Amino acid sequence: SDFINTTVDITSIIISGLVDAVLAVVFSIYLLAQKEKIARQSRRVAFAVMPAKRAEKLIYIAQISHRTFSNFVTGQFTEALIIGVLCFIGMLIFGMPYAALISVLISFTALIPIFGAFFGTAIGAFLILLVDPVKAFWFIVFIIVLQQLESNLIYPKVVGSSVGLPGIWVLVAVTVGGGMFGIAGMLFSVPICSVLYCLFRQFISGRLRRKGIKM
C-alpha cells in the first residue's frame, strides 16, 4: 500500500508539472500574440487611475524592465552556448565518451546562472562512469575548472554586459537571490538587480545634478 501511494503521489506530481508547463507555454503564446494590445490597454489603465507623472514613471520602469529581461535572455543563451562548446572541445581533447550528448546537457543546465552546469555534471559523470571510472573522475575535475572559468569570467562578462550590470553585482545578485529564493532566485535575480541598479543610478545622477556636482 505504501508503494502504491508513493507511486500515485509521484505520478500526480509529474502530471501536474506537465499540465502547468503546457498551460504556461499556451499562455505565453497568447500573451506574445496580443502584446501590443495588452501594452496599449495597460497604458490606458495607468493614466486612468494614476496621476500623469506617476503613470509615466511606471511606464518608464516597465520599458526598462522589458529591455533588461530581453537582453538577459539573449545573454543567458549566448553564455550557455559558449560553455557547451568549451565543454565539447575539452572532452574531445581528453578523449572522453559521450562528448556531444554531455556537452548539450551541460549547455542546457547552464541556463541556470552561475551554478547550473553542476546539475548536469552528475548525469555526465554517471554516464562516463559506466564506460571508464578514471575518465569520470577527470571529467568532474574538468567541469569544476570550466565552471570556475564560467562563473567568474564568462558569465559576468557576457550576461553582465548584456543587462548593463557590472560583473561583481552579477555575482552578488545570483548568490543572494539563490540563497533566498533557490533556483527561481538564481534565474531572476540578475535582471531584477539590473533594473534596480539602473533606477538607482539615475536617482543618484539626478540628485548630483540638482546639487550642481559633476562626478
Side-chain angles (χ1 to χ4, degrees):
S1 59
D2 292 339
F3 174 77
I4 293 175
N5 292 333
T6 303
T7 303
V8 171
D9 291 339
I10 295 175
T11 304
S12 63
I13 292 173
I14 294 175
I15 293 176
S16 177
L18 291 175
V19 172
D20 291 341
V22 171
L23 290 177
V25 171
V26 173
F27 179 78
S28 300
I29 292 174
Y30 275 98
L31 187 63
L32 291 173
Q34 303 184 25
K35 60 181 181 180
E36 290 83 5
K37 182 178 180 180
I38 294 174
R40 186 169 58 252
Q41 291 175 343
S42 299
R43 290 176 61 91
R44 288 170 57 88
V45 171
F47 279 99
V49 301
M50 296 180 180
K53 289 186 177 180
R54 185 169 296 180
E56 290 176 355
K57 184 65 174 179
L58 179 63
I59 293 173
Y60 176 70
I61 294 175
Q63 290 173 344
I64 292 179
S65 302
H66 172 264
R67 184 171 61 251
T68 300
F69 273 82
S70 298
N71 292 338
F72 172 73
V73 171
T74 302
Q76 194 69 36
F77 274 96
T78 302
E79 185 266 346
L81 178 62
I82 291 173
I83 194 172
V85 171
L86 291 177
C87 180
F88 179 71
I89 294 174
M91 292 185 69
L92 287 181
I93 293 175
F94 293 112
M96 297 179 182
Y98 307 117
L101 174 63
I102 295 176
S103 297
V104 171
L105 178 63
I106 294 295
S107 183
F108 273 106
T109 55
L111 293 175
I112 300 176
I114 303 296
F115 308 106
F118 283 123
F119 297 153
T121 302
I123 300 177
F126 176 75
L127 292 175
I128 299 176
L129 181 66
L130 298 177
V131 179
D132 190 333
V134 175
K135 288 185 177 180
F137 169 77
W138 287 113
F139 169 77
I140 295 175
V141 174
F142 167 69
I143 290 297
I144 291 175
V145 174
L146 181 62
Q147 179 65 9
Q148 291 300 312
L149 176 66
E150 182 259 350
S151 61
N152 293 289
L153 182 61
I154 299 175
Y155 186 84
K157 186 66 177 179
V158 174
V159 180
S161 299
S162 67
V163 297
L165 191 65
I168 182 62
W169 293 114
V170 172
L171 295 176
V172 171
V174 173
T175 302
V176 175
M180 296 180 64
F181 303 105
I183 295 178
M186 294 181 186
L187 288 173
F188 298 108
S189 59
V190 173
I192 291 174
C193 185
S194 178
V195 173
L196 296 177
Y197 176 81
C198 180
L199 295 175
F200 184 71
R201 183 176 57 187
Q202 292 179 359
F203 169 76
I204 294 298
S205 298
R207 296 279 294 183
L208 292 175
R209 187 167 54 254
R210 284 194 293 271
K211 292 183 177 182
I213 302 175
K214 295 182 179 181
M215 297 181 66

